[in-house]
Structure formats: C-alpha cells, structure tokens
Amino acid sequence: MANLVTLFILLLSMISIIYNVKFMADGSTMGESTRFYDFKVQTKRITKLCYSKDIVTINGMFPGPVVYAQEDDRIIVNVTNMTPFNVTIHWHGVRQKLSCWYDGPSFITQCPIQAGQSFTYNFTVVKQKGTFFWHAHVSWLRGTVYGAMVVYPKTSMPYPFMIPYLEHTIILGEYWLQDLQQIEHATVASGGAPPTADAYTINGHPGPNYNCSTNDIYQLDVIPGKTYMLRLINAGLNTENFFAIANHTLTIVEADAEYTKPFTTDTVMLGPGQTLNVLVSTDQPVGKYSMAVAPYKSGRIVHYQNISASAYFNYIGAAPNSLYLPAKLPKPDDKMAVKTVMDGLRSLNQVNVSKEIDKNLFITIGLNVQKCYSKTPKQNCQAMNNGVLAASMNNISFVQPNISILEAYYKKIKGSYTEDFPDVPPKFYDFVYGAPNNITHDTQSLNGTRTKVLEYGTKVQLILQDTGTVNIENHPIHFHGYSFYVVGYGTGNYNPQTAQFNLVDPPYMNTIGVPVGGWAAIRFVADNPGVWFMHCHLDIHQTWGLGMVFIVKNGKGELESLPHPPADLPRC
C-alpha cells in the first residue's frame, strides 16, 4: 500500500512538472503578451480554529489566485466587487511605469471600487521579473484578500543560478476570528493597540499547534536529492515573521523581485510586504520535517501571538508513522539574526547607484501619543498617559483624503492635500535613546495630508530614522512605484560622518525593514511621474498615519508624462 501511495505522489509530481514546463514554454514563445484575469470580490464562509465566519476573498479562494506573467507582459485584471465593502487591489512591487492610475492604494491613486461596481487594472511589468504579490489596499481587507504574482524571465534570460527541479509559493499570513474591519474600527476608537492575531498561517493554513487545526495544515511533498525554489511572501497584516525548515538551509537568490548574490542561512525574516526566493536542497535523510513561522518581536511593548504556525516538508518515501522534526527558529527578539541576513543581501552584479544627489531627505518614523479629548476616556483614551496612539513621518500623521490625490493632482482640484511635507523633522534630538514619553519634546504629532513634490529626474537620497518615542521597533517601509538601492543601514542615530555606505552592489528593494532603533539609507531616481505612497506595511501603523506621498512631476514628452486617467476610474 505504501508503494502505491508513493507511486501516486510521484505521478502527481510529474504532472506538476509537465504543467510548469508547459506554462514556461507557452509564456516564453508568446513574449510580451497580454494576460487576462477576472477577479470577483466575494465573501466565502470558512471554518478555522473551531469557528466559522464569512471572509472577503477573490473568486472564493483563500489565499487568492496566482497571477502568472512573463517579463514585459501586459496584465489586464477586471475586478468586480460583489461585496458591500469598498475595495482596491495593489500590485505590490510592480513599478507601474507610466501606469500610476492602476497602482491601487485607496484615496492615493484611485477611489475604491464600490459595491456592485467594476474596475479594470491594465499595466505592463516593464523590465521586471520575480516574485510579487497582490493585495487589497483598503482598510484591513488585506488580511484575507491577497495572492501571489509570479513573473517569469524571458527565454533568453534564464535564472542566474541552477534551475530548480520545481517551484512552490509559500505565503505567510495572519488570521483573526473576529471581522477585520470591526477590529480596525474598534482599535481606532479605543485609542490603544490592536489585539494579536489568533493564528499565523502558511498558505492559509495555521497548522497543528492551534485549536481544531490538526488537519488544517499545508504539506509540501518533495523528492530526495532535488533542489526546489520557494517563493516566500509575507502577506501578514501586523507581524514580521521568521521562517525556517527543520535541518535544511535556505539559499537566498532573490529579494523583492531582484536577483541577489546567493547567500545561505538557516533562517530568514520577512516583514509584511517583503518577498524572498530561496533554494532548498532535499539532501537530508528521507523523513518528515517541519516548516515554521513565528514572530520577530522587535517592539518592546508590543503584544504578539506566541503560538507558531507550522507546515510539513515531507520527503516522499518517509515512513508514514514517523514524527515531523520541529524547525528551530531564533529567539523572538534576535536582532542579530535579522542583521546577518540583511548583511548578506547584495545585488547579483555591480550596479549603477547615483553618486551625486540632488535632494537629501531625512525622515523620522515611529509612534506618537496624541492628547485625547474624548468625553469617555476609559473607552477612547487607552494609550499611555491616557492618550491616543498615532504614528508619523517627520512628526506628521498622514490623513487619508476624501478623493484620490492622483485625481486631485491631475485635475488641479485644490483643498484635499498640501505640498509642504518637510525635508527634515521639526526637532533634532537623540531620536533613539533620548525619546521616551517623559522627555521635554512633545510626543504629539501633527495631522495632515502633506506631499513632497519632486522634479522629474531628481536623484534622491532618503534617510529613514527609527525613533524611540513610545517604542523602537523594526518598520517595513514600502515605496509604491519605485524600487530603491539600500545603500546603508545601522543602529542608533544616523551620523553622516561615520555611516558606511555600499555603492557597489547594494540590494535593490521595494520594502526595507528599518532596523530597531536604527536607520536605513536609500537612493532612487524620480523617473516615474505620478503620485506614489510610501508607508509602513504594518497595517496598524499605516492606519495610525505612518505614511506620506511623493508627487513626481512630468518630464519631457509622452514617455516621461503621466497619461490620461482610464474611463472606468472609480468615483468617490
């Protein structure tokens, strides 16, 4: 019987191989083709953790369908909203060259798609390939509305590493028993912190460590002596996560859809919004191994779900009654494990980083405590010192406008935003170690929808500085419409006299984890006109205002100018 099961699994593996080869052949021969997808936003009742509830999905799938394409393909996705909730879809990591209207963040580049309405996203993945993902960019719908996006290289540009036997996508997520939008509204109303997730998930499955989840587990069957590529995506809402496979090493070959020099490690950490491609060799004794996901507890006063998610990395031929070897993860607050991987990330080849800078920006990021004016403070003032938690960049908490900034900018509609986001914070002090709540500096932040305008072609250096006001922690900062070179990072306060930069082969990323109580330096050229959101990818921080907007003006001619809006652009 065991031999029949093994034969059946081998047959399934061969079918998978044939399917993958067929897709690559079809995609590569078409080249620069158009891929059509139909997304129906709909609710589906699912049962997890002993409880049934309705969640918002795409096409009734959790996680949602995978979008496949090839470098330079056009992707057309018709999204129809069949729920009572507003929704948009963001194509995370796609630089949207001259297609800003389809980027997806609500009230930044478009108004939401309302109940019963449709909108067609139409963009080209220009000179991009690798692992991306798509997700809702309204409220906290991203908690269930997300899926992978895989863009293969052209036939003439094969992988710069050994071609894996098979590829698999591993999406890390979080799951709540309560309705996500209710949680968000209740959290904002309380003035305090959100509850922890009820479970972490791997491809939508929490694994056997949680109640009623013995059979709710993802299993990856592998053949001994092969090399697999895992496309790792962290689609979680509010938690950064460690990932490891018991007794196996992970060789990173791509970060944020850009090739890297191969770097081997036992564990990786992905913040929400980050992707990594890793190679895994099935070179261990035939057996059963676990894949594990647990939180990186970078925030000292933040509460986390302490139960890890697990999945099975199962060698075909392993004894059916053998136990799964548990994966070992770093200590939850192991900053060195995170730094070691970041130190190992290097672009595959020498790159052309801007040496001369036109615009230097210094942006502090972190939490704030605002004064609470509620008449019911016990219900609405649950932050420290009877205040209300907020988050900010340069001490400005971003306020979402009532119409999209892109539409207001394009149509010259005044009143919804200003163009005065500051180049530096209002005060300089010891940002990391001199900023507890009892300092003389005010922990109140200003509220506003402020933008920073850049001339086309501006060479920008941006220093992101974590602050200790309320709490130091790792912040995954995501930049829409651009990737950037991470030329430096370190702990403590940024000091231009002592900071060490890598201008030879820095990694090219779209989401950077600004170190706990530290800083990161990034460089980019403002060569994509439009309105682009930069924000923390921890959704609670974004809700509290940790974000800002760049407006990049047109250059010369059609190829450097923002096109007209689409006819079906949603209305607010």
Side-chain angles (χ1 to χ4, degrees), residues 61-68 131-135 142-150 168-175 200-206 218 220 230-237 241 243 270 272-276 291-293 309-311:
M61 299 171 64
F62 174 66
V66 181
V67 171
Y68 290 103
T131 300
F132 306 82
F133 74 113
W134 55 263
H135 59 79
R142 180 165 66 84
T144 58
V145 181
Y146 62 80
M149 178 173 168
V150 176
H168 295 277
T169 299
I170 305 291
I171 306 183
L172 316 183
E174 294 166 273
Y175 191 81
Y200 303 116
T201 59
I202 300 174
N203 286 350
H205 302 281
Y218 175 72
L220 177 56
L230 304 184
R231 298 178 180 269
L232 305 178
I233 300 168
N234 189 345
L237 276 182
N241 291 109
F243 174 86
L270 293 92
Q274 293 183 311
T275 69
L276 290 172
M291 297 185 282
V293 171
S310 62

Side-chain angles (χ1 to χ4, degrees), residues 291-310:
M291 297 185 282
V293 171
Y296 171 39
K297 298 183 178 182
S298 71
R300 294 173 301 184
I301 63 173
V302 180
H303 296 291
Y304 299 90
Q305 169 59 260
N306 289 321
I307 302 174
S308 62
S310 62

Side-chain angles (χ1 to χ4, degrees), residues 306-327:
N306 289 321
I307 302 174
S308 62
S310 62
Y312 292 156
F313 193 74
N314 182 64
Y315 278 59
I316 294 175
N321 58 350
S322 60
L323 298 177
Y324 284 87
L325 190 68

Side-chain angles (χ1 to χ4, degrees), residues 384-403:
M384 54 283 295
N385 299 332
N386 297 317
V388 174
L389 282 173
S392 65
M393 289 187 167
N394 276 354
N395 211 47
I396 298 167
S397 293
F398 183 80
V399 177
Q400 184 175 276
N402 293 321
I403 66 170

Side-chain angles (χ1 to χ4, degrees), residues 30-97:
M30 293 174 71
E32 300 183 12
S33 58
T34 301
R35 312 281 179 174
F36 294 93
Y37 289 88
D38 189 37
F39 276 19
K40 288 183 169 53
V41 188
Q42 52 193 205
T43 58
K44 180 180 182 180
R45 193 158 191 84
I46 67 170
T47 300
K48 287 188 184 295
L49 311 178
C50 316
Y51 182 76
S52 297
K53 72 167 193 173
D54 292 329
I55 65 170
V56 181
T57 69
I58 298 296
N59 299 346
M61 299 171 64
F62 174 66
V66 181
V67 171
Y68 290 103
Q70 192 177 23
E71 182 180 1
D72 290 334
D73 277 354
R74 170 174 287 187
I75 297 176
I76 297 177
V77 185
N78 182 59
V79 178
T80 302
N81 187 4
M82 303 168 66
T83 74
F85 311 108
N86 287 340
V87 73
T88 66
I89 301 295
H90 169 54
W91 313 93
H92 188 104
V94 176
R95 292 194 276 271
Q96 297 292 356
K97 190 69 175 178

Side-chain angles (χ1 to χ4, degrees), residues 447-568:
N447 295 326
T449 310
R450 301 195 189 184
T451 67
K452 179 64 183 177
V453 179
L454 297 173
E455 296 291 331
Y456 185 92
T458 302
K459 299 178 180 66
V460 181
Q461 175 172 283
L462 173 56
I463 307 297
L464 294 162
Q465 173 70 60
D466 187 24
T467 62
T469 306
V470 182
N471 185 45
I472 57 172
E473 59 186 297
N474 204 84
H475 292 276
I477 302 297
H478 174 53
F479 192 4
H480 290 232
Y482 288 86
S483 292
F484 46 78
Y485 290 110
V486 183
V487 296
Y489 51 89
T491 58
N493 297 295
Y494 171 72
N495 184 341
Q497 305 302 319
T498 59
Q500 296 183 347
F501 281 8
N502 172 15
L503 301 180
V504 177
D505 57 354
Y508 197 46
M509 309 179 77
N510 61 62
T511 306
I512 175 62
V514 179
V516 181
W519 56 272
I522 67 174
R523 292 186 181 183
F524 66 96
V525 178
D527 58 0
N528 192 10
V531 171
W532 306 107
F533 200 20
M534 185 173 73
H535 63 92
C536 184
H537 222 273
L538 300 173
D539 264 29
I540 182 59
H541 290 181
Q542 181 184 322
T543 298
W544 284 335
L546 212 169
M548 59 83 64
V549 166
F550 284 103
I551 295 178
V552 178
K553 297 169 70 174
N554 287 340
K556 298 179 180 179
E558 184 178 349
L559 297 180
E560 295 182 359
S561 299
L562 179 70
H564 300 299
D568 63 340

